[in-house]
Structures are given as C-alpha cells and as structure tokens.
Amino acid sequence: MLRLFACLSLIFFLVPVTYVRGPAPQANDSQYITLEPIVFDAGDPDRKQVGQLIFLGGWTITSDNDDFGGISSMVAMPDNRFLMLSDNGTLVGFTLAEEKHQAIRPFIAALPDGPAKPEGSVRKNWDSESLLHNPETGQFWVGYEHQHSIWRYGHSFSRTEARNFPKAMQKWPDNGGAEAMLRLPDGRFLVFSEAADHPEGGYQALAFEGDPSEPTSKAVAFGYLPPQGYKLTDAVLLDDRSALMLHRRFTPLHGVSAILSIAQLADFRPGNIATSIPVATLKPPLKVDNMEALAVSRDGKDTIVWIASDDNFSVLQESLLLKFRLLQGKATQKKPDPKFQNEKAGASPGFSTFESDGSLKR
C-alpha cells in the first residue's frame, strides 16, 4: 500500500512509504481534517473565563485517516500553522482558519524513523510523547516512551540526524517516559518523566547540558512535583524565566480534569524539587478531555495558549483543540511545599547525578 506524505506546507516534504499488509483491507489514508466548533460550557454558553484563561475558541478535530488521533504534543507556528504529534508516530499538520472552522493545507503522515521493539507492529511501539522545534534551524526533537530515547530530525523531518538512549532514562517506567521537553534559552534541554518517582517526592526530570539526542550530552537530575493527584503531560516556555506546565487527572468519581500552571525556570536545577503555581483548572461542565498537548503563540502583547487532547483512539473520547488568552499578572495561588506532600520529608533534598548503571545516586 502506498502512503502519501501530504506535506503541502512549505516546511514539509512529500515522501512515499510502502507497507506490506497481505490480504488485510486497505487502510484509510485520507488527508482531510475536519474542525467542528465547540461550546466551552454547555450549561452556560456565555462563559468565557476559567482562572486566568479567557476562552477564545475551540474545535473537535476529526479525520477518516486510520492513523489520526492520540495527539500527545504540538507546536504552534506562524500564521496559525500547527504541527501535532500522535503517540503512534504520526504527524498531523494544518493551518487553522478560525472564522471558517477549516483546516487548510492538511496532511497526516508517519515520522520517517523511530525506535521500535523487535516484535510486533513497528510504529505502534514508538509511543512518541513530546515534541520540540527550533524555528531557526528547522530541526525537531521527539521524546519516546517504552524505548526511552530522544531523537533529532532535520528540517521538515527529512531525515534522522541523531538519536540517544540516555542511561538515566532506561529505568523509567515503560509508560512513564519523556512526557514533556523544554529547550531553555541557555541551550540546555529539560526532559520530564510522567511516572518515574523521585525519591524525595514528585517525579524525575533530567537537565541535559546540550542536545539530548547526542550520546555525548550529559544529564543531571532534579524533581518536579505536579499539583496533588495530577501528572505532567506537556510543557512549553512562556518567556525566558518561566514555563507553562500542563497536567491531567482521571478518577472514576470526578472524571477527567486538567490543570495549567506556571513554573520558574530557576527552580529546574539539580537537587531541587520544582513546583508550579496553578492558573486554571479545566473540569466538567467545561469542555475537557485527556489534555496532553500544549503550545503558545503571540497576538501583539497577548499570550495565546493552545491545549489539545489525546483521544486514545477511542470512540468515547475526542481530539480537542482549545484556544485561550492568558491574563497578565502573576498567579495568586501559593506554591505547594514539597515536604507536606512527601512521605520522605525527612530525607535528603535530592540527587544530582547517576550511578554507572543509570540508577539514582543519592
């Protein structure tokens, strides 16, 4: 079966890929993406504000393409162009025509390369969870779970430039790998685990002195403590001093919810357990799903926040794209003190490096 990389955007190429599936029915390779506008609060259609976010618009995203769904991360580019990454190794791109509720110049295409387990379906074992883009060079970085690794791709994902399986990540849970990444102004990269416990509370994270896709790049460790009961799903730089952090939670009693918060970059340092200050909580009756992808753009002096959801390829969930304006001013909620949410409050304040086998050095 011939798959067409429908890269109509100027920054993406057309690449044919052949799959041999035997007698199985031909997959749907549709390149059409449909946007359906949503109401933020069905019980109060006039509601526009939640916390420090002003709702500007939202859409349900659908496509007949069999590989569409599972959005785990995204990048907002100039002119309302979006690049989304699915956890099955699929790229989804389109230009958002907000007033017409249309996806212009859409494409749905597989990543050109990535890690895989030796058995079973190759791409289904990629589990791509995080995405970074350098607009100056056009390069992209992708973080993978299961096969814990960081890969760098060239401009337009034309080729694989580097890959690294950091030893410090190999003991992370299979489903708790590189859930979020940040590229700091000073050139360092931060990689956050969703589920690898930090011995002093929260979850493990790594600060790479350089490009994490290069095997020579060294990492030091710190911790990140999400809001209680939540797990980190994505992060994006807000400015040169702070970052927005996206978290999600699901309980049978309360259903799904998400918290957006602000963290200070200075707190992401070896031996420290960083926290963040919530600025908004999305929960029913507000429109919310499994919120996993986060991006920021600018509209004059306004900061525009984009949040997308991972539907887990389930008919019971939706792929949402929500647009907000972030109100100016500092968050007013007090930072949580890790020692009050940590069973090991009397332990030492953290760790900064690793043993030779990749285990934590205390």
Side-chain angles (χ1 to χ4, degrees):
M1 179 191 70
L2 183 66
R3 285 187 52 95
L4 181 64
F5 279 60
C7 302
L8 301 179
S9 168
L10 294 178
I11 63 168
F12 297 98
F13 294 124
L14 288 168
V15 181
V17 178
T18 300
Y19 292 85
V20 179
R21 296 181 182 268
Q26 183 170 330
N28 190 320
D29 288 334
S30 169
Q31 295 297 307
Y32 291 102
I33 295 173
T34 301
L35 302 179
E36 184 69 27
I38 58 99
V39 176
F40 188 45
D41 185 343
D44 183 6
D46 294 328
R47 181 176 180 181
K48 297 298 181 184
Q49 183 168 350
V50 54
Q52 292 179 224
L53 295 179
I54 301 297
F55 178 71
L56 300 178
W59 301 265
T60 299
I61 315 172
T62 57
S63 175
D64 290 333
N65 190 302
D66 290 340
D67 288 330
F68 177 83
I71 297 168
S72 293
S73 53
M74 66 177 170
V75 175
M77 297 178 173
D79 301 320
N80 259 16
R81 187 71 178 166
F82 289 87
L83 178 66
M84 299 176 173
L85 178 62
S86 168
D87 54 22
N88 71 351
T90 298
L91 293 166
V92 176
F94 60 89
T95 297
L96 174 61
E98 296 185 46
E99 294 183 357
K100 297 180 179 180
H101 309 299
Q102 291 180 354
I104 308 299
R105 295 188 294 127
F107 74 89
I108 302 172
L111 285 167
D113 192 11
K117 293 181 182 294
E119 73 281 356
S121 170
V122 175
R123 285 180 54 216
K124 289 186 181 300
N125 287 310
W126 286 10
D127 205 354
S128 41
E129 291 289 342
S130 47
L131 175 67
L132 285 177
H133 177 232
N134 183 346
E136 296 179 358
T137 64
Q139 294 169 310
F140 293 89
W141 288 261
V142 173
Y144 294 91
E145 285 185 339
H146 297 291
Q147 297 287 297
H148 297 306
S149 54
I150 309 295
W151 291 53
R152 188 181 77 238
Y153 301 90
H155 187 279
S156 305
F157 282 95
S158 55
R159 64 189 180 94
T160 300
E161 294 184 343
R163 71 201 75 180
N164 184 23
F165 295 77
K167 184 178 293 185
M169 294 170 56
Q170 299 314 304
K171 291 190 176 183
W172 287 1
D174 278 353
N175 200 37
E179 191 72 18
M181 288 195 295
L182 290 172
R183 179 172 173 263
L184 302 187
D186 61 9
R188 290 180 298 142
F189 286 71
L190 307 181
V191 179
F192 298 82
S193 168
E194 178 187 10
D197 290 333
H198 186 292
E200 313 305 337
Y203 301 99
Q204 295 178 35
L206 299 172
F208 288 83
E209 62 182 16
D211 188 336
S213 66
E214 296 287 350
T216 56
S217 184
K218 297 180 180 179
V220 293
F222 62 96
Y224 175 68
L225 183 66
Q228 190 169 10
Y230 286 78
K231 289 189 175 181
L232 180 69
T233 58
D234 208 353
V236 65
L237 289 183
L238 185 57
D239 51 40
D240 59 1
R241 294 172 296 175
S242 60
L244 283 176
M245 317 295 284
L246 179 63
H247 316 82
R248 55 109 183 270
R249 182 180 71 173
F250 173 79
T251 67
L253 181 61
H254 299 101
V256 66
S257 61
I259 287 180
L260 186 71
S261 63
I262 296 178
Q264 300 304 309
L265 301 185
D267 291 340
F268 298 141
R269 62 182 186 273
N272 190 44
I273 302 175
T275 58
S276 58
I277 301 177
V279 295
T281 299
L282 302 177
K283 61 182 180 180
L286 300 181
K287 193 71 170 179
V288 64
D289 208 297
N290 178 31
M291 312 312 288
E292 284 213 20
L294 179 66
V296 165
S297 62
R298 309 292 176 184
D299 183 6
K301 294 182 179 181
D302 290 338
T303 298
I304 305 301
V305 178
W306 304 87
I307 306 177
S309 66
D310 175 355
D311 67 355
N312 291 311
F313 298 95
S314 169
V315 296
L316 302 178
Q317 295 179 255
E318 296 178 302
S319 296
L320 300 175
L321 176 62
L322 306 181
K323 178 183 181 181
F324 301 94
R325 176 167 58 87
L326 180 64
L327 293 178
Q328 299 295 326
K330 297 181 179 179
T332 57
Q333 299 186 44
K334 185 179 180 181
K335 273 191 177 184
D337 188 335
K339 70 180 180 181
F340 294 118
Q341 300 185 35
N342 179 15
E343 295 179 356
K344 301 180 181 179
S348 59
F351 56 92
S352 59
T353 187
F354 295 89
E355 302 287 4
S356 60
D357 65 353
S359 61
L360 303 181
K361 179 182 286 186
R362 299 289 298 278

